[in-house]
Amino acid sequence: MSMMKIPETVPDDIIEDLFVPELVRESRSEEASTPSSSPWKDAFRRLRASKGVVLSAILILIMASIAIVGPAMSKYSYDEQNLAHSNLPPKIPGLQWLGFDGKDRQDTDVYQQRNVDTAYWFGTDEFGRDLWTRVWKGMQISLFIALIAALLDLFIGVLYGGLSAYYGGRVDSAMERIIEILMGIPSLIVIVLFAIILEPGILSITLAMIITGWVGMARIVRGQILKLKVQEFVLAARTLGVSNSRIIWKHLLPNAMGPIVVNVMFDLPTAIFFEAFLSFIGLGLQAPLASLGVLINDGFKQMRMFPYKLVIPAVMISLILICFNLLADGLRDALDPKTKK
Amino acid sequence: MNRPILAVDNLEVSFHTQSGIVDAVRGVSFSLQKGETLAIVGESGSGKSVTAKSILGLLPKQIASKRAGKIIYEGKNILEFSLRKMQALRGAEISMVFQDPMTSLNPTMTIGKQLMEGLYRHRKVSKAKAAQKAVEMLQMVGIPNAEERVNTYPHQFSGGMRQRVVIAMALACDPKILIADEPTTALDVTIQAQIMDLMRNLQKKTGTAIILITHDLGVVAKMAQKVAVMYAGEIVETGPVEDIFYRPMHPYTRGLLQSMPRLDAPRDEPLIPIPGFPPDLSHPQRGCPFAPRCAHVMKVCNAFFPLPKETHNGHMAKCWLLDERANHRDRLVRECREVSDHG
Amino acid sequence: MDKSSVLIEVNHLKKHFPVGKNKMLQAIDDVSFHIHRGETLGLVGESGCGKSTLGRTLIQLYEPDSGEIIFDGQKLNSNAGVTERREYTRKMQMIYQDPYSSLNARMTVMEIISEGLIVHRPGLLKEERRRRVIELLELVGLSPKHVNRYPHEFSGGQRQRIGIARALAVEPQFIVADEPIAALDVSIQAQIVNLLKQLQREKQLTYLFIAHDLSMVKYISDRIAVMYLGQLMELVHSEELYRRPLHPYTEALLSAIPIPDPRLELSRERIVLQGDVPNPITPPSGCRFHTRCPKVMDICSTVQPQFTEAAPYHYVRCHLYGSKEVVACPE
């Protein structure tokens, strides 16, 4: 550091009295200079320092809370039809300048024309259902799917991978074979089968995810545990007579937590997209239920006449996917600073 | 004295890291004569590897944020060389042997191809000539059945054999300087002995100057004619190998020698460790960097950095104990003074 | 020799690891020795010779294939009950090589050192445990202020001290130190070795000190065992090993170690072994060292030599010292 620049020559006024033995302070070099910080706190600090992470975390929070309270803010439910109010463009009083002015593409005020006095914030579809309610209902579905994916990852994936690696040997090879079989089945086939047996909907998507959704996580956890369990601190715990469950909970899992968290975060957008994709091609949720995929499919058919029907759900799903991805990316950098150069 | 083949003058290198700027090398100067072996000794983080890597320009620009000083090779400051000029120099004029023979060879290329690569690039020889030279090089480093082994892959060699191949690669273009960064640390003692013998014999044959980077004073005693002891990014003592081992002037060098058990010393001779641990270079302190661990520390040591004090035969140390004003009653001071007076 | 002074006795220990189909890595083969109470036995050998496996088998991290380990007059038995097993695992602890991977990065110093106390002295109150950890920190030369810090805030030497405190927490009698200084800087190595010596005096500890650095082993050990490809080649008092090595491998090993003395190095005659250590999956027939031995005889490639007492208290596995006649020392 430049402020520490050492003078090149000793000033003449260094007098001999500086050349006396200094009392050696024993503890001086033993003291660490920085205050104690746990690895988790360090990671959290790095996380907070990243603008993208903070922004996407805030956006996800906002979207999640509107998804919960949003449908209740409108007086219409998501499946309430009102043909008199069909195909109304979005109108938010006070936000006209943003395009939410209730005018169609010919710049005629549809609300005035049809004499509608309620403002539909995101407009209505061809059956006159309130799109605001439907979009946030769809967001609820997306977040629910994300939650399912996270729970599956954490409970089945971590447990399966952890047990497989910790016990090793025969147990491990048997469990590995099962995973290989599961990975061999394309998830689209599974979902089609469930859609035939049950019917397309949230239940069959969830069941399909239960069968295959946690496999990637199980593999990652298995790799981590295999790597960790031969490390010397685990051997040390074993020579101290520490029990298996304590080794797993105190030694193995906390050290594998970084990759686990990051992988969960990367799995969330994948799961959200999976559901939207299935709904889009008609294998997922069915009308009148709303999911972002269903809404995009509806809007896509009338893209030219009523672009708002496509644009609003498309923006929503893009936003949530981008936010989750940014958050996951930031988490990876924060939890494993070595990979970032 | 002849003109040195390589002269490093006041080299400074800093890194940007998570914990701030680290001054890894803080004003290092040394010179290397033709055919001689200079050992740079130091602990981890003393800056010895960074010094070596900056000679070859191997430090990435975005990490090594600051570079100052000069590295003069054949009259030119190679620190200012462009990447292309540097690449022409690497391997041909100055080459390097790394610590880990397991990772310094490309596992998907045959040994012969890897040996010939440098020859094509730097010496522009024909394919047949290069292949012939590759076999010769392998024979020179003592690999049996060299004609067959040129066509094998690195995984078919043991650690010691790989290090021989690495040395053959480094010497293929007859470089003037070989930088060996802990070349024997990853090897077993019996293999280390083989590699050291090999390097010494090759040096006699080719006249290559060697910069040997190591932490093992035993290896230094066997290989080097000149020694530079690094501590906290600076050379604290340098000189001919006999002076360093028999007449050390710096308390750190003395400490190192006293803290190593010798195979030929009786068991009851106590080891005198150096207390404390190496300084954190991201928080440099005033004065001598060794002061917090030094048993002879004076007030001046914590205030000012000591100036180099040199005797006539090139033995230099940076320590306030060598100053006339230091207390004559201290035994170490007396001994050091004797060394510096009689040289 | 007085039987009660022996703390640990190993007879014909064997440990092979399966590698691939029908192949066995012969990590330890027919190893016998004993260690007295309060003694340090040094174990040297090149990488892959099985010295770490031997240490880990002694402290029950690995199950031996055959042979017996008698600890404190009691034969260690894999069928022993949980409490019995816990008791003798407590008495034998280990200090590890890598100061970075041997401490759990997610635990504080307090948690790391007190883990053994939680297992073996569950009745201890939290406050007592804390006091005990602080005592241990002071014992290994660390400041009690560090008790709530995490391993990444310490240097290599300090981490090794934490590892030593962790082992001492359960008051062991026997400690296997598996290359405890190999990863440390030269100036720190002596600190740790001196600490180990001081602790041995204060706590009457018995050490098995595993290393590849013969000079440090010689300094700390009372007796030294030299290992090559899974077998002990020589076992003798450490001064004697240096002065009168009997086995050609020991001779070569000693002469391969560079001494920090340039004049001596210039004049030293050196035995440089040719070739590399053979693969422990397919060790050479007869004497395992015969492929590299400078004094190889016809018998060496066919008959495996026995580990015999060639001179008083001087054990060696070599045909040069067959039967009982003691060959004049090489000097």
Side-chain angles (χ1 to χ4, degrees):
Chain A
M1 268 180 240
S2 54
M3 60 175 192
M4 288 292 200
K5 197 70 194 168
I6 297 144
E8 283 300 313
T9 50
V10 186
D12 291 331
D13 57 332
I14 293 194
I15 26 175
E16 300 217 1
D17 62 354
L18 271 179
F19 285 85
V20 291
E22 176 88 287
L23 288 174
V24 186
R25 276 169 288 162
E26 275 295 333
S27 59
R28 181 173 156 181
S29 53
E30 284 284 322
E31 273 164 44
S33 48
T34 45
S36 169
S37 67
S38 86
W40 290 118
K41 274 190 210 149
D42 278 357
F44 190 65
R45 205 170 42 233
R46 281 194 292 271
L47 201 61
R48 256 190 345 208
S50 149
K51 287 196 190 84
V53 168
V54 175
L55 192 69
S56 28
I58 291 174
L59 272 175
I60 289 174
L61 274 179
I62 292 176
M63 282 192 280
S65 31
I66 301 183
I68 293 164
V69 299
M73 284 160 72
S74 163
K75 51 182 180 277
Y76 307 101
S77 78
Y78 70 94
D79 54 355
E80 196 176 321
Q81 300 191 1
N82 183 352
L83 289 175
H85 287 183
S86 68
N87 294 334
L88 284 172
K91 179 180 178 184
I92 306 177
L95 281 180
Q96 276 90 346
W97 51 275
L98 257 176
F100 295 99
D101 50 5
K103 287 179 182 158
D104 69 3
R105 295 182 68 206
Q106 283 75 40
D107 220 24
T108 43
D109 193 330
V110 188
Y111 286 80
Q112 231 164 32
Q113 197 182 27
R114 294 216 226 144
N115 217 352
V116 180
D117 49 359
T118 41
Y120 288 94
W121 291 343
F122 283 177
T124 57
D125 65 5
E126 71 263 39
F127 302 112
R129 290 181 295 213
D130 180 21
L131 275 180
W132 167 271
T133 323
R134 288 180 70 74
V135 162
W136 294 114
K137 263 288 179 208
M139 185 64 87
Q140 273 182 15
I141 300 285
S142 292
L143 292 172
F144 173 73
I145 291 290
L147 185 73
I148 295 276
L151 290 179
L152 287 174
D153 267 351
L154 282 177
F155 286 97
I156 307 185
V158 170
L159 206 69
Y160 193 99
L163 289 177
S164 168
Y166 188 73
Y167 289 102
R170 284 238 178 95
V171 180
D172 185 35
S173 18
M175 291 174 91
E176 262 300 274
R177 293 299 89 74
I178 294 174
I179 282 200
E180 276 159 20
I181 292 167
L182 287 178
M183 281 192 120
I185 309 171
S187 46
L188 213 54
I189 304 240
V190 178
I191 187 80
V192 169
L193 282 177
F194 274 114
I196 292 169
I197 300 167
L198 305 165
E199 55 192 37
I202 196 88
L203 183 66
S204 48
I205 294 178
T206 312
L207 284 174
M209 280 168 65
I210 287 177
I211 288 185
T212 55
W214 48 271
V215 172
M217 175 62 97
R219 288 220 138 163
I220 286 176
V221 173
R222 176 175 174 271
Q224 285 291 320
I225 302 290
L226 279 182
K227 194 182 81 190
L228 288 169
K229 79 169 187 178
V230 292
Q231 295 223 345
E232 290 182 338
F233 69 85
V234 179
L235 294 183
R238 281 170 61 195
T239 45
L240 284 170
V242 176
S243 63
N244 276 350
S245 68
R246 196 179 152 88
I247 287 182
I248 293 175
W249 287 110
K250 290 289 284 184
H251 292 277
L252 296 176
L253 280 183
N255 282 286
M257 218 53 213
I260 290 175
V261 169
V262 170
N263 197 51
V264 167
M265 289 309 292
F266 275 116
D267 271 359
L268 299 185
T270 317
I272 292 175
F273 182 77
F274 181 61
E275 181 276 325
F277 168 72
L278 289 175
S279 298
F280 181 74
I281 60 170
L283 283 172
L285 267 67
Q286 305 292 317
L289 289 170
S291 122
L292 290 176
V294 173
L295 293 176
I296 290 171
N297 190 19
D298 289 349
F300 167 72
K301 290 174 198 152
Q302 299 163 311
M303 192 164 66
R304 287 170 183 238
M305 282 302 293
F306 308 106
Y308 65 90
K309 288 190 193 171
L310 174 67
V311 170
I312 292 172
V315 165
M316 286 297 165
I317 194 158
S318 309
L319 212 56
I320 193 104
L321 291 184
I322 290 171
C323 284
F324 270 119
N325 270 312
L326 278 178
L327 195 59
D329 229 33
L331 266 170
R332 184 182 52 201
D333 292 343
L335 291 172
D336 191 5
K338 271 166 279 169
T339 55
K340 193 177 156 188
K341 269 277 171 273
Chain B
M1 230 183 231
N2 300 330
R3 225 182 64 183
I5 182 166
L6 182 85
V8 174
D9 184 25
N10 216 4
L11 180 72
E12 287 177 33
V13 183
S14 302
F15 292 114
H16 266 300
T17 65
Q18 291 241 321
S19 50
I21 294 170
V22 172
D23 298 326
V25 176
R26 310 193 286 175
V28 159
S29 307
F30 61 84
S31 63
L32 185 69
Q33 305 287 334
K34 195 172 181 313
E36 97 178 330
T37 301
L38 167 75
I40 302 181
V41 192
E43 296 175 275
S44 55
S46 62
K48 54 190 197 300
S49 272
V50 176
T51 306
K53 284 189 181 134
S54 27
I55 295 173
L56 274 179
L58 288 177
L59 297 170
K61 280 226 161 63
Q62 57 270 40
I63 301 175
S65 60
K66 188 185 100 184
R67 273 180 266 207
K70 284 183 199 143
I71 300 175
I72 308 287
Y73 173 73
E74 296 198 321
K76 285 175 226 129
N77 183 4
I78 59 174
L79 205 59
E80 287 165 359
F81 268 25
S82 65
L83 185 64
R84 265 190 57 199
K85 275 168 108 179
M86 206 65 217
Q87 276 167 344
L89 208 68
R90 284 181 202 157
E93 308 280 317
I94 307 174
S95 61
M96 190 149 179
V97 172
F98 293 94
Q99 171 173 352
D100 188 358
M102 298 296 159
T103 56
S104 44
L105 290 170
N106 181 346
T108 60
M109 258 165 100
T110 62
I111 297 295
K113 279 231 174 74
Q114 296 187 50
L115 273 162
M116 280 146 67
E117 210 180 22
L119 290 166
Y120 285 146
R121 188 157 23 132
H122 298 300
R123 296 287 177 255
K124 311 269 182 293
V125 294
S126 69
K127 199 172 173 188
K129 259 256 179 80
Q132 189 198 340
K133 177 89 180 177
V135 174
E136 277 171 30
M137 289 311 298
L138 287 185
Q139 280 165 343
M140 193 168 88
V141 295
I143 288 181
N145 309 333
E147 291 88 351
E148 291 161 33
R149 309 246 23 200
V150 279
N151 297 319
T152 54
Y153 289 88
H155 71 264
Q156 291 161 292
F157 286 76
S158 68
M161 283 294 164
R162 281 190 217 194
Q163 199 62 309
R164 285 171 190 264
V165 174
V166 172
I167 290 172
M169 273 171 67
L171 294 178
C173 297
D174 302 310
K176 302 218 170 58
I177 300 170
L178 176 69
I179 301 172
D181 189 354
E182 308 256 8
T184 58
T185 306
L187 306 173
D188 280 318
V189 265
T190 58
I191 310 296
Q192 166 175 295
Q194 293 174 2
I195 297 293
M196 285 196 300
D197 273 15
L198 173 74
M199 284 179 65
R200 287 211 320 186
N201 292 338
L202 289 178
Q203 187 178 30
K204 266 183 218 145
K205 247 184 257 173
T206 59
T208 311
I210 296 179
I211 297 178
L212 177 73
I213 292 158
T214 181
H215 65 273
D216 187 337
L217 288 171
V219 173
V220 175
K222 179 161 169 60
M223 301 280 295
Q225 285 98 51
K226 234 163 64 178
V227 183
V229 181
M230 281 193 79
Y231 188 79
E234 298 178 60
I235 293 183
V236 293
E237 181 161 10
T238 178
V241 65
E242 294 221 344
D243 285 285
I244 298 291
F245 279 89
Y246 304 126
R247 292 176 291 278
M249 297 198 289
H250 199 282
Y252 176 63
T253 316
R254 288 169 168 256
L256 276 185
L257 287 164
Q258 282 170 337
S259 65
M260 279 180 73
R262 280 179 56 158
L263 201 53
D264 53 346
R267 265 193 74 207
D268 41 19
E269 197 168 279
L271 284 190
I272 307 164
I274 305 175
F277 49 87
D280 177 4
L281 288 179
S282 57
H283 304 283
Q285 39 155 18
R286 275 176 72 85
C288 172
F290 188 62
R293 303 174 73 188
C294 183
H296 306 273
V297 60
M298 299 178 293
K299 279 202 162 64
V300 65
C301 304
N302 287 322
F304 297 101
F305 189 79
L307 297 178
K309 184 117 178 146
E310 192 166 344
T311 63
H312 66 89
N313 64 346
H315 187 182
M316 180 282 287
K318 293 176 186 167
C319 179
W320 281 121
L321 291 171
L322 305 172
D323 194 282
E324 305 75 67
R325 290 166 286 190
N327 188 346
H328 289 247
R329 272 168 303 183
D330 194 299
R331 187 178 58 86
L332 185 84
V333 174
R334 273 206 315 278
E335 283 176 26
C336 288
R337 191 67 51 70
E338 267 166 39
V339 173
S340 71
D341 286 348
H342 304 297
Chain C
M1 198 164 291
D2 184 9
K3 261 284 180 207
S4 69
S5 76
V6 173
L7 180 69
I8 187 162
E9 189 180 336
V10 174
N11 290 322
H12 306 290
L13 199 69
K14 189 177 122 182
K15 175 74 194 166
H16 292 184
F17 292 103
V19 278
K21 266 197 184 141
N22 303 325
K23 279 191 199 153
M24 288 301 230
L25 188 138
Q26 307 189 4
I28 315 173
D29 213 28
D30 189 23
V31 166
S32 306
F33 62 92
H34 59 258
I35 310 176
H36 297 277
R37 284 173 206 282
E39 184 190 38
T40 301
L41 178 71
L43 183 61
V44 289
E46 295 178 273
S47 57
C49 72
K51 53 190 195 298
S52 279
T53 308
L54 179 56
R56 289 179 180 186
T57 311
L58 286 190
I59 59 162
Q60 307 290 301
L61 272 176
Y62 298 144
E63 202 72 52
D65 291 340
S66 67
E68 56 179 11
I69 302 168
I70 299 165
F71 182 77
D72 209 1
Q74 195 186 0
K75 194 178 161 197
L76 298 195
N77 188 338
S78 54
N79 303 324
V82 175
T83 38
E84 194 186 337
R85 210 177 150 86
R86 176 174 286 179
E87 190 50 27
Y88 60 61
T89 53
R90 179 185 74 75
K91 290 181 185 160
M92 300 188 279
Q93 284 302 315
M94 187 149 177
I95 298 168
Y96 296 84
Q97 170 175 7
D98 182 358
Y100 291 88
S101 78
S102 63
L103 303 179
N104 186 344
R106 305 276 178 203
M107 284 165 106
T108 61
V109 170
M110 174 75 198
E111 290 173 297
I112 289 171
I113 299 178
S114 62
E115 186 150 51
L117 294 174
I118 292 172
V119 174
H120 293 284
R121 295 176 66 185
L124 223 55
L125 291 174
K126 207 174 166 199
E127 206 29 61
E128 291 170 322
R129 223 162 40 216
R130 194 183 167 81
R131 212 176 308 130
R132 180 88 184 102
V133 168
I134 286 172
E135 266 172 43
L136 284 162
L137 277 180
E138 280 170 343
L139 184 70
V140 297
L142 288 173
S143 158
K145 276 181 274 179
H146 293 156
V147 75
N148 288 324
R149 288 178 180 273
Y150 285 86
H152 70 95
E153 297 167 82
F154 295 91
S155 67
Q158 288 175 312
R159 285 160 158 261
Q160 208 56 302
R161 288 173 195 263
I162 297 170
I164 293 171
R166 169 178 61 191
L168 291 177
V170 293
E171 292 165 28
Q173 293 177 302
F174 175 58
I175 288 183
V176 174
D178 187 2
E179 307 227 24
I181 54 165
L184 301 178
D185 274 321
V186 182
S187 75
I188 308 295
Q189 289 185 352
Q191 292 179 8
I192 298 298
V193 165
N194 280 355
L195 174 68
L196 287 173
K197 275 195 140 182
Q198 171 210 331
L199 292 171
Q200 180 169 43
R201 272 197 310 273
E202 288 172 10
K203 308 221 163 243
Q204 287 86 44
L205 294 169
T206 306
Y207 289 142
L208 177 70
F209 190 88
I210 303 172
H212 61 265
D213 175 0
L214 236 177
S215 26
M216 200 53 104
V217 172
K218 183 193 166 218
Y219 173 70
I220 194 170
S221 311
D222 300 299
R223 288 185 306 147
I224 296 178
V226 179
M227 204 164 174
Y228 185 79
L229 273 181
Q231 293 185 325
L232 290 191
M233 290 299 171
E234 189 159 4
L235 172 63
V236 69
H237 188 269
S238 54
E239 290 286 359
E240 189 73 5
L241 184 88
Y242 176 71
R243 272 200 303 267
R244 276 184 287 279
L246 293 184
H247 200 286
Y249 177 60
T250 315
E251 279 183 305
L253 207 56
L254 285 168
S255 92
I257 293 161
I259 292 175
D261 186 336
R263 282 180 205 152
L264 188 77
E265 274 300 320
L266 216 59
S267 60
R268 234 170 130 211
E269 277 292 322
R270 191 180 291 274
I271 308 164
V272 175
L273 288 181
Q274 295 309 305
D276 291 304
V277 183
N279 192 335
I281 296 169
T282 47
S285 59
C287 173
R288 295 197 168 177
F289 185 57
H290 84 260
T291 53
R292 299 173 77 197
C293 184
K295 297 178 180 172
V296 64
M297 303 178 292
D298 290 340
I299 185 175
C300 298
S301 58
T302 49
V303 181
Q304 197 172 88
Q306 291 303 305
F307 197 50
T308 49
E309 194 167 5
Y313 306 118
H314 195 157
Y315 295 85
V316 66
R317 187 191 282 276
C318 180
H319 286 301
L320 287 171
Y321 312 97
S323 68
K324 278 286 155 209
E325 82 258 27
V326 175
V327 181
C329 44
E331 268 182 331

